[in-house]
Coordinates of all heavy atoms in Angstrom, one line a residue:
Chain B
E6 N 98.6 120.2 145.6 CA 98.5 121.5 145.0 C 99.2 122.6 145.7 O 99.4 123.7 145.2 CB 97.0 121.9 144.9 CG 96.3 121.3 143.7 CD 96.0 119.9 143.8 OE1 95.4 119.5 144.8 OE2 96.4 119.1 143.0
K192 N 82.4 103.0 158.7 CA 81.9 103.9 157.6 C 83.0 104.4 156.8 O 83.0 104.4 155.5 CB 81.1 105.1 158.2 CG 80.3 105.8 157.2 CD 79.1 106.6 157.9 CE 78.3 107.3 156.8 NZ 78.4 108.7 156.8
H195 N 84.5 101.6 154.7 CA 83.7 101.3 153.5 C 83.8 102.4 152.5 O 83.9 102.1 151.3 CB 82.2 101.2 154.0 CG 81.2 101.2 152.9 ND1 81.0 100.0 152.2 CD2 80.5 102.1 152.3 CE1 80.1 100.2 151.3 NE2 79.7 101.5 151.3
Y196 N 83.9 103.6 152.9 CA 84.0 104.8 152.0 C 85.3 104.6 151.2 O 85.3 104.7 150.0 CB 84.1 106.1 152.8 CG 84.4 107.3 152.0 CD1 83.4 107.8 151.1 CD2 85.6 107.9 152.1 CE1 83.7 109.0 150.4 CE2 85.9 109.0 151.3 CZ 85.0 109.5 150.5 OH 85.3 110.6 149.7
E199 N 85.1 101.7 148.6 CA 84.2 102.1 147.5 C 84.9 103.1 146.6 O 84.8 103.1 145.4 CB 82.9 102.6 148.0 CG 81.9 101.5 148.4 CD 81.7 100.5 147.3 OE1 81.2 101.0 146.2 OE2 82.0 99.3 147.4
L200 N 85.5 104.1 147.3 CA 86.1 105.2 146.6 C 87.2 104.7 145.6 O 87.3 105.1 144.5 CB 86.8 106.2 147.6 CG 87.4 107.4 147.0 CD1 86.2 108.2 146.4 CD2 88.1 108.3 148.0
H203 N 85.5 103.4 142.5 CA 85.0 104.5 141.6 C 86.2 105.2 140.9 O 86.1 105.5 139.7 CB 84.2 105.5 142.4 CG 82.8 105.0 142.6 ND1 82.4 104.7 143.9 CD2 81.8 104.8 141.8 CE1 81.1 104.2 143.8 NE2 80.7 104.3 142.5
L204 N 87.2 105.5 141.7 CA 88.3 106.2 141.1 C 89.0 105.4 140.1 O 89.4 105.9 139.0 CB 89.3 106.6 142.2 CG 89.0 107.8 143.1 CD1 90.0 108.1 144.1 CD2 88.8 109.1 142.2
E206 N 87.7 103.2 138.2 CA 86.9 103.1 137.0 C 87.0 104.4 136.2 O 87.2 104.4 135.0 CB 85.5 102.8 137.3 CG 84.7 102.4 136.0 CD 83.3 102.2 136.2 OE1 82.9 101.8 137.3 OE2 82.5 102.5 135.3
A207 N 87.0 105.5 137.0 CA 87.1 106.8 136.3 C 88.5 106.9 135.6 O 88.6 107.4 134.5 CB 87.0 107.9 137.3
H210 N 88.6 105.0 132.4 CA 88.0 105.7 131.2 C 88.9 106.9 130.8 O 88.9 107.2 129.6 CB 86.6 106.2 131.6 CG 85.6 105.0 131.6 ND1 85.0 104.6 132.7 CD2 85.2 104.2 130.6 CE1 84.2 103.6 132.4 NE2 84.3 103.3 131.1
A211 N 89.5 107.5 131.8 CA 90.4 108.6 131.4 C 91.5 108.1 130.5 O 91.8 108.8 129.6 CB 90.9 109.3 132.7
R213 N 91.4 105.6 128.6 CA 90.9 105.3 127.3 C 90.7 106.6 126.5 O 90.9 106.6 125.3 CB 89.5 104.6 127.4 CG 89.7 103.1 127.5 CD 88.4 102.4 127.1 NE 88.3 101.2 127.9 CZ 87.2 100.8 128.4 NH1 86.1 101.6 128.3 NH2 87.1 99.7 129.2
L214 N 90.3 107.6 127.2 CA 90.0 108.9 126.5 C 91.3 109.4 125.9 O 91.3 109.9 124.8 CB 89.4 109.9 127.5 CG 88.8 111.1 126.8 CD1 87.6 110.7 126.0 CD2 88.5 112.1 127.9
R217 N 91.8 107.5 122.8 CA 90.9 107.9 121.7 C 91.4 109.2 121.1 O 91.3 109.4 119.8 CB 89.5 108.2 122.2 CG 88.9 107.0 122.8 CD 88.7 105.9 121.8 NE 88.0 104.8 122.4 CZ 88.2 103.5 122.1 NH1 89.2 103.2 121.3 NH2 87.5 102.6 122.7
H218 N 91.9 110.1 121.9 CA 92.5 111.3 121.3 C 93.6 111.0 120.3 O 93.7 111.5 119.2 CB 93.0 112.3 122.4 CG 92.0 113.1 123.0 ND1 91.1 112.7 124.0 CD2 91.6 114.4 122.7 CE1 90.3 113.7 124.3 NE2 90.6 114.7 123.6
E220 N 94.1 108.2 118.7 CA 93.6 107.5 117.6 C 92.9 108.5 116.6 O 93.1 108.4 115.4 CB 92.6 106.5 118.0 CG 93.2 105.3 118.6 CD 92.2 104.4 119.3 OE1 91.0 104.7 119.3 OE2 92.6 103.4 120.0
L221 N 92.2 109.4 117.2 CA 91.5 110.4 116.3 C 92.5 111.3 115.6 O 92.4 111.6 114.4 CB 90.6 111.3 117.1 CG 89.7 112.3 116.4 CD1 88.8 111.5 115.3 CD2 88.8 113.1 117.3
S224 N 94.0 109.2 112.8 CA 93.1 109.0 111.6 C 92.9 110.3 110.8 O 92.8 110.3 109.6 CB 91.8 108.4 112.0 OG 91.0 109.3 112.7
L225 N 93.0 111.4 111.6 CA 92.9 112.7 110.9 C 94.1 112.9 110.0 O 94.0 113.4 108.9 CB 92.8 113.9 111.8 CG 91.3 114.3 112.2 CD1 91.3 115.3 113.3 CD2 90.6 114.8 111.0
D227 N 96.0 110.5 108.6 CA 95.9 109.6 107.4 C 94.9 110.1 106.5 O 95.1 110.1 105.2 CB 95.5 108.2 107.9 CG 96.6 107.5 108.7 OD1 97.7 107.9 108.6 OD2 96.2 106.7 109.5
F228 N 93.8 110.6 107.0 CA 92.7 111.2 106.1 C 93.3 112.4 105.4 O 93.0 112.5 104.2 CB 91.5 111.6 107.0 CG 90.4 112.2 106.2 CD1 89.6 111.4 105.4 CD2 90.1 113.5 106.4 CE1 88.5 111.9 104.7 CE2 89.0 114.1 105.7 CZ 88.2 113.3 104.8
A231 N 95.5 111.2 102.6 CA 94.7 110.6 101.5 C 94.0 111.6 100.6 O 94.0 111.6 99.4 CB 93.7 109.6 102.0
L234 N 96.3 113.4 98.3 CA 96.6 112.6 97.1 C 95.5 112.7 96.1 O 95.7 112.7 94.9 CB 96.9 111.2 97.5 CG 98.2 110.9 98.2 CD1 98.3 109.5 98.7 CD2 99.4 111.2 97.2
L235 N 94.3 112.6 96.7 CA 93.1 112.7 95.8 C 93.0 114.0 95.1 O 92.7 114.1 93.9 CB 91.8 112.5 96.7 CG 90.5 112.4 96.0 CD1 90.5 111.4 94.9 CD2 89.4 112.0 97.0
C238 N 94.9 114.4 91.9 CA 94.3 113.8 90.7 C 93.3 114.7 90.1 O 93.0 114.6 88.9 CB 93.6 112.5 91.0 SG 94.7 111.2 91.5
E239 N 92.8 115.6 90.8 CA 91.7 116.4 90.3 C 92.2 117.8 89.9 O 93.2 118.3 90.4 CB 90.7 116.7 91.5 CG 90.0 115.4 91.9 CD 88.8 115.1 91.0 OE1 88.8 115.5 89.8 OE2 87.8 114.6 91.5
G240 N 91.5 118.3 89.0 CA 91.8 119.7 88.5 C 91.3 120.7 89.5 O 90.8 120.4 90.6
E241 N 91.5 121.9 89.1 CA 91.0 123.0 90.0 C 89.5 123.1 89.8 O 88.9 122.8 88.8 CB 91.6 124.3 89.6 CG 93.1 124.3 89.9 CD 93.5 123.8 91.3 OE1 92.8 124.2 92.2 OE2 94.4 123.0 91.4
P242 N 88.7 123.7 90.7 CA 89.2 124.1 92.1 C 89.2 123.0 93.1 O 89.7 123.2 94.2 CB 88.1 125.1 92.5 CG 86.9 124.6 91.8 CD 87.3 123.9 90.5
T243 N 88.7 121.8 92.7 CA 88.6 120.8 93.6 C 89.9 120.4 94.2 O 90.1 120.1 95.4 CB 88.0 119.5 92.9 OG1 86.9 120.0 92.1 CG2 87.4 118.6 93.9
A246 N 91.0 122.6 96.9 CA 90.2 122.5 98.0 C 90.6 121.2 98.8 O 90.7 121.2 100.0 CB 88.7 122.3 97.6
F247 N 90.8 120.1 98.1 CA 91.3 118.9 98.8 C 92.6 119.1 99.4 O 92.9 118.7 100.6 CB 91.5 117.8 97.7 CG 90.2 117.0 97.5 CD1 89.7 116.7 96.3 CD2 89.5 116.4 98.6 CE1 88.5 116.0 96.1 CE2 88.4 115.7 98.4 CZ 87.9 115.5 97.1
L250 N 92.1 121.1 102.5 CA 91.4 120.2 103.5 C 92.5 119.3 104.2 O 92.5 119.1 105.4 CB 90.3 119.4 102.9 CG 89.5 118.4 103.8 CD1 88.8 119.2 104.8 CD2 88.6 117.6 102.9
F272 N 95.0 115.1 133.6 CA 93.8 114.5 134.0 C 93.9 113.0 134.5 O 93.6 112.7 135.6 CB 92.8 114.6 132.9 CG 91.4 114.1 133.2 CD1 90.6 114.7 134.1 CD2 90.9 113.0 132.6 CE1 89.3 114.3 134.4 CE2 89.6 112.5 132.8 CZ 88.9 113.2 133.8
L276 N 94.4 111.4 138.4 CA 93.4 110.3 138.9 C 94.2 109.1 139.3 O 93.8 108.5 140.4 CB 92.5 110.0 137.7 CG 91.2 110.8 137.6 CD1 90.5 110.4 136.4 CD2 90.4 110.5 138.8
Chain V
P30 N 84.0 129.0 92.9 CA 84.5 127.7 92.8 C 84.4 127.2 91.4 O 85.2 126.4 90.9 CB 83.7 126.8 93.7 CG 83.0 127.7 94.6 CD 83.0 129.1 94.0
L353 N 92.8 108.1 89.7 CA 91.7 108.7 90.5 C 91.0 107.6 91.3 O 90.7 107.8 92.5 CB 90.8 109.4 89.6 CG 89.6 110.1 90.3 CD1 90.1 111.3 91.1 CD2 88.6 110.6 89.2
Q356 N 93.0 106.6 94.3 CA 92.9 107.6 95.4 C 91.6 107.7 96.1 O 91.5 107.9 97.3 CB 93.3 109.0 94.8 CG 94.7 109.1 94.3 CD 95.7 108.5 95.2 OE1 95.6 108.5 96.4 NE2 96.7 107.9 94.6
I357 N 90.5 107.5 95.3 CA 89.2 107.5 95.9 C 89.1 106.3 96.8 O 88.5 106.4 97.9 CB 88.1 107.5 94.8 CG1 88.1 108.8 94.1 CG2 86.7 107.3 95.5 CD1 87.0 108.8 93.0
N359 N 91.5 104.8 98.4 CA 92.3 105.2 99.6 C 91.6 106.1 100.5 O 91.4 105.9 101.7 CB 93.6 105.7 99.2 CG 94.6 106.0 100.3 OD1 94.5 105.3 101.3 ND2 95.5 106.9 100.2
A360 N 91.1 107.2 99.9 CA 90.4 108.2 100.7 C 89.2 107.7 101.4 O 88.9 108.0 102.6 CB 90.0 109.4 99.8
Q363 N 90.3 105.8 104.5 CA 90.7 106.7 105.6 C 89.4 107.3 106.2 O 89.4 107.6 107.4 CB 91.7 107.7 105.1 CG 92.9 107.1 104.5 CD 93.6 106.1 105.5 OE1 93.4 106.2 106.7 NE2 94.3 105.2 104.9
A364 N 88.5 107.6 105.3 CA 87.3 108.2 105.8 C 86.6 107.3 106.8 O 86.1 107.7 107.8 CB 86.3 108.6 104.7
L367 N 88.3 107.4 110.0 CA 88.0 108.6 110.7 C 86.7 108.5 111.4 O 86.6 108.9 112.6 CB 88.0 109.8 109.7 CG 87.7 111.1 110.3 CD1 88.7 111.5 111.4 CD2 87.6 112.2 109.2
A370 N 87.0 106.5 114.5 CA 87.7 107.2 115.6 C 86.8 108.2 116.2 O 86.8 108.3 117.5 CB 89.0 107.8 115.0
Q371 N 86.0 108.8 115.4 CA 85.1 109.8 116.0 C 84.0 109.1 116.9 O 83.6 109.6 118.0 CB 84.4 110.6 114.9 CG 85.2 111.8 114.5 CD 84.5 112.6 113.4 OE1 85.1 113.6 112.9 NE2 83.3 112.2 112.9
D373 N 84.4 106.2 118.4 CA 85.0 105.8 119.7 C 85.2 106.9 120.6 O 84.9 106.7 121.8 CB 86.4 105.2 119.3 CG 86.3 103.8 118.7 OD1 85.2 103.2 118.7 OD2 87.3 103.4 118.1
M374 N 85.6 108.0 120.1 CA 85.8 109.2 121.0 C 84.5 109.5 121.7 O 84.4 109.7 122.9 CB 86.2 110.4 120.1 CG 86.3 111.7 120.9 SD 87.7 111.6 122.1 CE 88.9 112.4 121.1
T377 N 83.7 106.8 124.4 CA 84.5 106.8 125.6 C 84.2 108.0 126.4 O 84.2 108.0 127.6 CB 86.0 106.8 125.2 OG1 86.2 105.6 124.4 CG2 86.9 106.7 126.4
M378 N 84.0 109.1 125.7 CA 83.7 110.4 126.5 C 82.4 110.2 127.3 O 82.4 110.5 128.5 CB 83.5 111.5 125.4 CG 83.2 112.8 126.0 SD 84.7 113.7 126.6 CE 85.3 114.3 125.0
E380 N 81.2 107.3 128.4 CA 81.4 106.4 129.4 C 82.1 107.0 130.6 O 81.8 106.7 131.8 CB 82.2 105.2 128.9 CG 81.4 104.2 128.1 CD 82.3 103.2 127.3 OE1 83.5 103.2 127.6 OE2 81.7 102.5 126.5
M381 N 83.1 107.8 130.2 CA 83.8 108.5 131.3 C 82.9 109.4 132.1 O 82.9 109.5 133.3 CB 84.9 109.3 130.7 CG 85.8 109.9 131.8 SD 86.9 111.2 131.1 CE 85.8 112.5 131.0
A384 N 80.9 107.4 134.5 CA 81.7 106.9 135.6 C 81.8 108.0 136.6 O 81.7 107.8 137.8 CB 83.1 106.5 135.1
F385 N 82.0 109.3 136.1 CA 82.1 110.4 137.1 C 80.7 110.7 137.7 O 80.7 111.1 138.9 CB 82.6 111.6 136.4 CG 84.1 111.7 136.5 CD1 84.9 111.1 135.4 CD2 84.8 112.2 137.6 CE1 86.3 111.2 135.5 CE2 86.1 112.2 137.6 CZ 86.9 111.7 136.6
K387 N 78.6 108.4 138.6 CA 78.5 107.4 139.6 C 79.4 107.9 140.8 O 78.9 107.8 142.0 CB 79.0 106.1 139.1 CG 78.0 105.3 138.4 CD 78.3 103.9 138.3 CE 78.8 103.6 136.8 NZ 79.4 102.2 136.7
L388 N 80.6 108.4 140.5 CA 81.4 108.8 141.6 C 80.8 110.0 142.4 O 80.8 110.0 143.6 CB 82.8 109.3 141.0 CG 83.8 109.9 141.9 CD1 84.1 108.9 143.0 CD2 85.1 110.1 141.2
F391 N 78.1 108.7 144.6 CA 78.7 108.0 145.7 C 79.2 109.1 146.7 O 78.9 108.9 147.9 CB 79.9 107.2 145.2 CG 80.8 106.7 146.3 CD1 80.4 105.7 147.1 CD2 82.1 107.2 146.5 CE1 81.2 105.2 148.1 CE2 82.9 106.8 147.5 CZ 82.5 105.8 148.3
E392 N 79.9 110.1 146.3 CA 80.4 111.1 147.2 C 79.2 111.8 147.9 O 79.3 112.0 149.1 CB 81.1 112.2 146.4 CG 82.5 111.7 145.9 CD 83.6 111.8 147.0 OE1 83.2 111.9 148.2 OE2 84.8 111.8 146.6
E395 N 78.0 109.4 150.6 CA 78.9 109.1 151.7 C 79.4 110.4 152.4 O 80.3 110.3 153.3 CB 80.1 108.3 151.2 CG 79.6 107.0 150.5 CD 79.3 105.9 151.5 OE1 79.8 106.0 152.6 OE2 78.5 105.1 151.1
Q401 N 82.5 118.4 150.8 CA 82.5 117.3 149.9 C 81.4 117.4 149.0 O 81.5 117.1 147.8 CB 82.4 116.0 150.7 CG 83.7 115.4 151.2 CD 83.5 114.2 152.0 OE1 83.0 114.2 153.1 NE2 83.9 113.0 151.5
F411 N 80.9 118.7 135.6 CA 81.9 118.1 134.7 C 81.4 116.9 134.0 O 81.5 116.8 132.8 CB 83.2 117.8 135.5 CG 84.1 117.0 134.8 CD1 84.9 117.5 133.8 CD2 84.2 115.6 135.1 CE1 85.8 116.7 133.1 CE2 85.1 114.8 134.4 CZ 85.9 115.3 133.4
L436 N 82.3 109.7 98.8 CA 83.4 109.0 98.3 C 83.0 107.6 97.9 O 83.5 107.1 96.9 CB 84.5 108.9 99.4 CG 85.2 110.3 99.6 CD1 86.1 110.2 100.9 CD2 86.1 110.6 98.5
R534 N 81.4 115.3 89.4 CA 82.2 114.8 90.5 C 82.9 116.0 91.2 O 82.9 116.0 92.4 CB 83.3 113.8 90.0 CG 84.1 113.2 91.1 CD 85.2 112.3 90.6 NE 86.3 113.1 89.9 CZ 86.5 113.1 88.6 NH1 85.8 112.3 87.9 NH2 87.5 113.8 88.1
R535 N 83.4 116.9 90.4 CA 84.0 118.1 91.1 C 83.0 118.8 91.9 O 83.3 119.2 93.1 CB 84.6 119.0 90.0 CG 85.7 118.3 89.4 CD 86.7 119.2 88.7 NE 87.8 118.4 88.1 CZ 88.1 118.3 86.8 NH1 87.4 119.1 86.0 NH2 89.0 117.5 86.4
F538 N 82.2 116.7 95.0 CA 83.3 116.7 96.0 C 83.4 118.0 96.7 O 83.6 118.0 97.9 CB 84.7 116.3 95.3 CG 84.9 114.9 95.1 CD1 85.9 114.4 94.3 CD2 84.1 113.9 95.7 CE1 86.2 113.1 94.1 CE2 84.3 112.6 95.6 CZ 85.3 112.1 94.8
L539 N 83.2 119.1 96.0 CA 83.3 120.4 96.7 C 82.2 120.5 97.7 O 82.4 120.9 98.9 CB 83.1 121.5 95.7 CG 84.4 121.9 95.0 CD1 84.1 123.0 93.9 CD2 85.4 122.5 96.0
M541 N 80.8 118.0 99.2 CA 81.1 117.1 100.3 C 82.1 117.8 101.3 O 81.9 117.7 102.5 CB 81.8 115.8 99.7 CG 82.5 115.0 100.7 SD 83.3 113.6 100.0 CE 84.8 114.3 99.5
M542 N 83.1 118.4 100.7 CA 84.1 119.1 101.6 C 83.4 120.2 102.4 O 83.7 120.3 103.6 CB 85.2 119.6 100.7 CG 86.2 118.5 100.3 SD 87.6 119.2 99.6 CE 87.2 119.2 97.9
F545 N 81.3 118.7 105.1 CA 82.2 118.1 106.1 C 82.8 119.1 107.0 O 82.8 119.0 108.2 CB 83.3 117.3 105.4 CG 84.3 116.7 106.3 CD1 84.0 115.6 107.1 CD2 85.6 117.2 106.3 CE1 85.0 115.1 108.0 CE2 86.5 116.7 107.2 CZ 86.2 115.6 108.0
V546 N 83.3 120.2 106.4 CA 84.0 121.2 107.2 C 83.1 122.0 108.0 O 83.3 122.2 109.2 CB 84.9 122.1 106.3 CG1 85.4 123.3 107.0 CG2 86.0 121.3 105.7
S574 N 95.0 126.1 143.1 CA 96.2 125.2 143.0 C 97.4 126.0 142.5 O 98.5 125.5 142.5 CB 95.9 124.1 142.1 OG 95.8 124.5 140.7

Side-chain angles (χ1 to χ4, degrees):
Chain B
E6 276 74 55
K192 195 159 181 248
H195 171 78
Y196 173 76
E199 281 302 302
L200 186 63
H203 282 112
L204 280 179
E206 197 184 327
H210 286 114
R213 272 204 214 133
L214 194 65
R217 300 296 183 219
H218 274 82
E220 288 165 3
L221 187 57
S224 73
L225 269 173
D227 295 335
F228 179 71
L234 285 174
L235 183 53
C238 290
E239 293 275 31
E241 298 307 317
T243 320
F247 271 128
L250 181 64
F272 184 66
L276 267 177
Chain V
L353 182 66
Q356 296 315 326
I357 293 183
N359 187 27
Q363 300 310 332
L367 177 62
Q371 276 181 179
D373 288 344
M374 176 69 97
T377 303
M378 183 81 80
E380 286 168 4
M381 187 195 76
F385 270 93
K387 277 197 255 169
L388 180 54
F391 168 72
E392 286 277 20
E395 306 280 335
Q401 276 179 290
F411 164 77
L436 287 169
R534 185 183 68 248
R535 292 199 178 120
F538 276 170
L539 276 176
M541 166 182 86
M542 281 189 268
F545 174 73
V546 169
S574 69

